[in-house]
Amino acid sequence: MQTLAVAATGSDGIDDLALVEQARNRHGAAVRLIIKRHNRQLYRVARSVLNDDAEAEDVVQEAYGHAFTHPATPSDQRNHFETSR
């Protein structure tokens, strides 16, 4: 079975996988762009599950903290997929 990795590309032409690689190398601009692209969607999901604004904000912050302190490895990228925005 063949797996297809789909990377979102922003209006700036940089795809998410390239941003993740840059963030892994501690490029602050890449981290900020990842947050800018995905913050609204992550918050909406957290808010819909938790039904609490403050709790949703906390969960999103914790998720970013975990994501940037425990970045995915290149082997994880083959399991990457993007849901519709």
Side-chain angles (χ1 to χ4, degrees):
M1 185 170 151
Q2 191 175 21
T3 305
L4 176 63
V6 179
T9 302
S11 60
D12 50 23
I14 303 171
D15 70 41
D16 283 345
L17 295 179
L19 284 173
V20 168
E21 186 61 35
Q22 291 175 16
R24 193 178 294 130
N25 291 317
R26 300 194 180 268
H27 289 137
V31 171
R32 287 187 295 277
L33 188 52
I34 290 169
I35 291 170
K36 182 179 178 181
R37 282 187 185 176
H38 299 285
N39 200 58
R40 185 178 303 166
Q41 182 180 14
L42 290 174
Y43 175 78
R44 282 187 204 157
V45 170
R47 176 64 176 87
S48 71
V49 171
L50 299 169
N51 293 317
D52 183 290
D53 292 339
E55 192 68 24
E57 289 175 12
D58 289 345
V59 166
V60 170
Q61 289 300 317
E62 289 175 22
Y64 282 128
H66 182 79
F68 293 124
T69 58
H70 300 88
T73 62
S75 63
D76 293 333
Q77 291 179 358
R78 71 174 176 266
N79 297 322
H80 172 80
F81 67 94
E82 176 82 15
T83 58
S84 61
R85 292 183 189 200

